[in-house]
Amino acid sequence: MDWSWLLGVIGAVAAIWVALIAILWLFRPRDTSLGELLRLIPDVLRLIRGLLADRSTPLGVRLALGVLLIWIVSPIDLIPEFIPVLGPLDDVVVAVLVLRWVSRRLGPDELARRWPGKPEGFALLRRVLD
């Protein structure tokens, strides 16, 4: 049996993934430290929980956030977690892409209204997502 088509699909997915990582790396906020970004995680998790629990959140947004949570907790990844630095990177890429989509779908005012943290944290999140 000819499996060259499968290798082509795997190669294309890998190339797209590398391109996404490169784009996120190039457009990351330069004036932000890793520590600042890590401090955002609890507020982002509370934001996601609040959006999922609120029935007024559009269904598409709730579905996207649900898929994001499943992706993050799933043991199946494009890049295995045991690979240093690169392992968790696929989760970060998916999280940023989903949160960018959610931000654009809800709008900055609605997202700010639901933000559970400090205004400085929301400003940092906006810089990351824009």
Side-chain angles (χ1 to χ4, degrees):
M1 181 177 247
D2 183 23
W3 293 95
S4 60
W5 65 272
L6 181 60
L7 292 175
V9 169
I10 291 171
V13 168
I16 291 169
W17 201 248
V18 168
L20 285 173
I21 291 171
I23 289 168
L24 287 174
W25 179 259
L26 290 172
F27 294 106
R28 74 190 187 285
R30 305 267 189 231
D31 59 342
T32 305
S33 71
L34 180 60
E36 288 176 295
L37 293 175
L38 291 176
R39 283 191 290 276
L40 275 183
I41 291 173
D43 289 334
V44 170
L45 291 174
R46 283 195 298 276
L47 174 69
I48 290 171
R49 184 182 62 205
L51 289 169
L52 285 170
D54 186 352
R55 295 287 180 198
S56 69
T57 302
L59 180 60
V61 169
R62 292 196 337 250
L63 287 174
L65 292 172
V67 169
L68 170 62
L69 292 178
I70 291 168
W71 176 273
I72 289 173
V73 299
S74 171
I76 300 170
D77 284 325
L78 291 176
I79 304 170
E81 297 295 327
F82 64 82
I83 298 174
V85 180
L86 294 179
L89 195 57
D90 66 337
D91 293 337
V92 171
V93 168
V94 171
V96 168
L97 292 175
V98 169
L99 291 173
R100 280 183 178 176
W101 182 83
V102 166
S103 175
R104 286 180 175 90
R105 178 77 196 270
L106 292 178
D109 294 335
E110 184 64 18
L111 206 58
R113 184 180 73 76
R114 297 168 181 244
W115 179 249
K118 296 180 181 178
E120 300 81 22
F122 183 72
L124 176 57
L125 180 69
R126 294 287 308 155
R127 285 198 326 262
V128 170
L129 298 181
D130 285 341

